[in-house]
Amino acid sequence: MAELEGLEFGKSDFVLLDEVTMEQFMENLKLRFEKGRIYTYIGEVVVSVNPYRQMDIYGKDTIDAYRGRELYENPPHLYAVSDAAYKAMKRRAKDTCIVISGESGAGKTEASKYIMQYIAAITNPSQRVEVESVKNVLLKSNCVLEAFGNAKTNRNDNSSRFGKYMDINFNFNGEPTGGHINNYLLEKSRVVQQHDGERNFHSFYQLLRGGSDEMLESLHLQNDPAAYIYTKEGAATATSSNDRSSHRAVMSALEVIGFSPEEINSIYQILASILLLGDVRFESDGESVQILGLEAVGHVSELTATEADSVCKSLLFRTVATGGGDVIEKGHSEQDACFGRDAFVKALYERLFGWIVSRINSVIEVKDYDPALHGKNTVIGVLDIYGFEIFDNNSFEQFCINYCNEKLQQLFIELILRQEQGEYQREGITWQHIDYFNNQIIVDLVEQPHKGIISILDEACLSVGKVTDTVCLESMGTKLAQHPHYTSRKLSPTDKTMDFQKHFRIRHYAGDVTYSIEGFLDKNKDLLFQDFKRLMYNSANQVLKEMWPDGQLSITEVTKRPLTAATLFKNSIVALVDKLGCKEPYYVRCIKPNEMKSPVLFDDARCQHQVAYLGLMENVMVRRAGFAYRQHYARVLQRYKMTCEYTWPNHLMGSDREAVEAIVTQHGFQDDVAYGHTKLFVRTPRSLFTLEQERAALIPILVLFLQKVWRGALARRRCRRMRAIYAIMGCYKRYKVKAHFREVERRFANVRNLADYGKSVEWPTPPVALRNQLAVLQAVNSSIVKNIPPSDMLEVRAKVAALTALSGDRKDWGVSRAWERNYLANVRDCPQTSSGFARVTKELRNKDEYSQVLFSGFCRKVNRFNKSTDRGLLITDKCVYKLEPKKQYKVLKRLPLDAFTGLSVTAGVDQMVALHTSCQDDILLCLQRGELCTNQDRVGELVGALVDHFTRKVHFPVKVCRSALQLHMRGKPKSVTVETKPGQTGADFKKSRDGFVLLVPAN
């Protein structure tokens, strides 16, 4: 934990100082620097001192130590504020930003890289490929932008010469899904001129020292920065960066980001063109200007894919449209030619840098993001922008840079000082007001419409006639003479540190800065002749053509006057401040310990100056008097209600404030909080951390409970689905099986009439459930058809018909025995009367001309009066006969067979049969078993004989009744049931209320 650092390292948080004085602040800062503790807190603000050496505090173990921990649990570190911003973004779905500020050389760029590395390291634990790809592009973009946007200055070996703000987009799960980079005010003047001891942008030296011999030869370059005007100033300057290894790293990063080989080649062709243009020399003979040595021009035309004549013409002439619409060419003077060449080179590099940024954005920007599908898209912004600069010669670039820092300081004052104090007043919290310097007056001095310096510069640039820098300075002195933060030599004649008609001074929050007015107007106009724009737009190189879309305009086409450089920069900074203002800010305040880049020297006066203008003392005082955390009661209750028995799951108190008070009271934090009108204020992070710890301990329990309930619901739903699936599968299988058998039945319906009894019939393809049985069925069928003698085919057909008709609903139907059909003619079955029956059948055959006896046998018949008698039943292919066995089988009744429309049987073992007629006068009878085999079932035989006979003509329905058997007698409905009666010797009928009852023996 932070407070467990030994006292020999000083106080880890300036809020813990015994007295808030500048002496104690500086003493603590110096002690920590000397002890190797470069980070110190002011509440949630991190104060970072540049160590000017490599430190082993950024490895994987350190990352793991800070991952998911609260700020004060570990010693102060950049990783702690990075994790705090990430947690706030993920927990509360709120956009956050990390603002890194400080003067040049204070370590802002390194801090931004460590923050990016930490965020990349703690996200995407599942190693998803698309997320890893986004992280790699975000990290590699730093390498590329440093090469093309950073340079060595006298104060910093790796100084950012542009401002960078990066938004990192996260999905609902806290994984990076993309990002966007904004760049601000590239110091393009560095391309053509550098201060003594400084270098041009890293990219030039990396190309010249790291490019292969083949690459340099193709670009017409030498492996020596001293050979070129634009790089010779820094060629001999010692630098800590290794240009060769850096070049390899940049080439690799470009490939990882997604630049094509053609695009990479175009980038370095443009760099080579800039270096070669710098060596172009002009000579005047008094009337015209000539280019000395056209070899460089030829190389430039080759590298830019343009015509050499067009390049020369653009360098020597300017095309102008007259008021009458005529186009004329004006030759440059030698000075104008050099000016035009330098302006072209600066614009070429600026557009190259802007194109690289936009190309990276095209890769990392989030596309087609649907919040309804993927959840809210949250953002962490990281701002790494140039620090406050005071040089011996401060020009237009330093003016813009320092204005930017004034705006950022104003944002800091707005969010950290004024806004916090204003919130305490609104919420009714007791508060001792803290005085602080508000730099709004300096911001207004620069940007106020019609009165500010930028407005005066723009007015001078728009004026007709010869308006010089000196005239502009005079105008500023007239309009700003009464401003307390502006002065010049004319306004302060005794101040000999400034020159007349050259210098003006602004009293910035960071200190007084004297600016040289020379070049202000030219840099603000940012003039570039249209000829160069058309030259680049007409290039055969598509990358160059894409960079210069304004080159397609005709020379006679009237366009709106472009905004000046200062106005464009002001607009972009205002937009940046607005973007930062809508996010929850986290601050890293960087301090430069000395001007010698020494790891051991601590310049007290230099550091005290930075502490003063960064407002760190005021920050400490506000923090000591203030509260570390504040949140609306409803949000506090929603997050921590599970930690209190009176608020979980829902409270019954009068308001959310009372419920929050119950939570605070239960945990004993009464002395560490204050209650506002709408928010709870917590003074120290420890109380909040205790709540978070208890919440974190309860969350797994709640999650397990919810998981149990949800898993149960899922299991029940899965079970219902499986049951439904199996039901559907069962129904479908049955349907397929039935459909298959219906198809088999259809194909084999008439095989009895075929000569080969169906051997030649093709079997249908069976369903999966019957695939194994197909061979068995085919074998059985072949065996049956092959082995059955013709004399038995009649019985086989009858059994098949009975099987089909009964559909398995009747348990016993005599399939296992031989069917004799004509039992009355059987001597064994009826030895006393068989001869009489033979005589009667002979007479009936002659009379009715029937050809076949379908069935005959004894039965017990009942009429509608419940009179049951023993009768003989004879069924031929023509008629059905009722016979009297006792009178030599006298025919009592004859009915044509076609009069019968179907029959009904029961599902039991009884022998009851109902023959249905078309006139609704049905016949009810009970077949008698044979005398020699009393268990013989003849119902199936009767059913099979009739169904087999009728199938050849019409459908003959058979109904198997599981309860009562239904029929009609003389048109009246009757119902017949079966009863088992102990002691009953044979089957007999008796009358019931709505029909008949068949009495059968118990055995």
Side-chain angles (χ1 to χ4, degrees), residues 692-815:
E692 284 290 338
Q693 275 189 320
E694 186 160 346
R695 179 181 182 274
L698 290 171
I699 286 295
I701 300 173
L702 299 178
V703 168
L704 285 175
F705 174 74
L706 294 176
Q707 286 178 340
K708 180 184 72 173
V709 174
W710 179 239
R711 285 171 180 166
L714 289 179
R716 287 188 290 274
R717 185 171 67 180
R718 194 180 304 115
C719 181
R720 287 194 296 269
R721 287 181 177 176
M722 293 302 295
R723 286 177 178 172
I725 289 171
Y726 284 126
I728 294 171
M729 288 171 59
C731 291
Y732 184 71
K733 285 181 180 178
R734 287 193 293 273
Y735 159 75
K736 294 294 287 184
V737 170
K738 290 179 179 179
H740 174 72
F741 281 122
R742 281 195 293 269
E743 180 64 17
V744 171
E745 181 182 7
R746 185 188 66 79
R747 295 191 183 189
F748 288 86
N750 296 317
V751 296
R752 59 170 62 94
N753 299 323
L754 299 177
D756 61 354
Y757 294 105
K759 285 186 178 180
S760 61
V761 176
E762 182 180 357
W763 286 72
T765 303
V768 177
L770 295 177
R771 199 163 290 169
N772 295 332
Q773 286 74 30
L774 177 63
V776 177
L777 292 174
Q778 290 176 334
V780 170
N781 177 70
S782 300
S783 175
I784 291 175
V785 173
K786 178 179 179 181
N787 297 327
I788 296 176
S791 58
D792 293 341
M793 285 305 297
L794 189 64
E795 179 183 347
V796 171
R797 284 203 304 268
K799 287 186 176 181
V800 171
L803 173 65
T804 304
L806 297 175
S807 302
D809 292 331
R810 185 174 173 93
K811 186 184 302 182
D812 183 17
W813 49 278
V815 67

Side-chain angles (χ1 to χ4, degrees), residues 281-285 288-294 316 332 334:
R281 289 288 171 266
F282 302 95
E283 183 182 53
S284 174
D285 58 4
S288 62
V289 177
Q290 304 294 330
I291 296 176
L292 294 178
L294 295 176
L316 296 175
H332 290 312
E334 184 176 348

Side-chain angles (χ1 to χ4, degrees), residues 855 858-859 873 911 913 925-929 938-939 942:
F855 184 83
F858 292 108
C859 66
L873 177 67
Q911 301 297 295
V913 178
L925 52 88
C926 180
L927 299 178
Q928 294 183 4
R929 306 176 189 270
R938 295 180 180 178
V939 171
L942 174 61

Side-chain angles (χ1 to χ4, degrees), residues 843-987:
E843 293 174 357
L844 292 175
R845 184 187 298 273
N846 294 331
K847 180 179 180 181
D848 296 333
E849 297 181 349
Y850 71 83
S851 60
Q852 181 184 9
V853 175
L854 300 181
F855 184 83
S856 69
F858 292 108
C859 66
R860 187 78 173 174
K861 180 188 174 301
V862 64
N863 60 16
R864 60 193 176 93
F865 303 109
N866 194 29
K867 183 179 179 181
S868 60
T869 55
D870 292 329
R871 293 286 185 259
L873 177 67
L874 173 63
I875 303 176
T876 69
D877 55 0
K878 295 288 186 178
C879 299
V880 175
Y881 304 92
K882 180 172 69 171
L883 308 177
E884 173 57 75
K886 296 179 180 180
K887 296 182 180 182
Q888 295 298 312
Y889 293 99
K890 177 183 177 180
V891 177
L892 299 178
K893 191 174 183 179
R894 174 192 291 107
L895 290 173
L897 189 60
D898 293 340
F900 291 90
T901 59
L903 63 84
S904 295
V905 298
T906 65
V909 296
D910 58 84
Q911 301 297 295
M912 183 166 57
V913 178
L915 296 173
H916 304 295
T917 63
S918 57
C919 61
Q920 289 195 338
D921 191 10
D922 301 339
I923 298 173
L924 179 63
L925 52 88
C926 180
L927 299 178
Q928 294 183 4
R929 306 176 189 270
E931 294 182 5
L932 298 179
C933 187
T934 58
N935 292 328
Q936 212 172 55
D937 187 292
R938 295 180 180 178
V939 171
E941 191 171 355
L942 174 61
V943 171
L946 289 175
V947 172
D948 180 51
H949 172 75
F950 278 100
T951 301
R952 305 176 190 180
K953 301 178 181 179
V954 295
H955 176 62
F956 188 74
V958 176
K959 183 177 181 182
V960 181
C961 302
R962 295 191 175 276
S963 56
L965 188 148
Q966 306 295 329
L967 72 160
H968 291 79
M969 287 186 174
R970 298 293 177 93
K972 295 182 179 181
K974 301 288 183 179
S975 177
V976 186
T977 57
V978 180
E979 281 188 11
T980 302
K981 183 177 180 182
Q984 182 78 17
T985 58

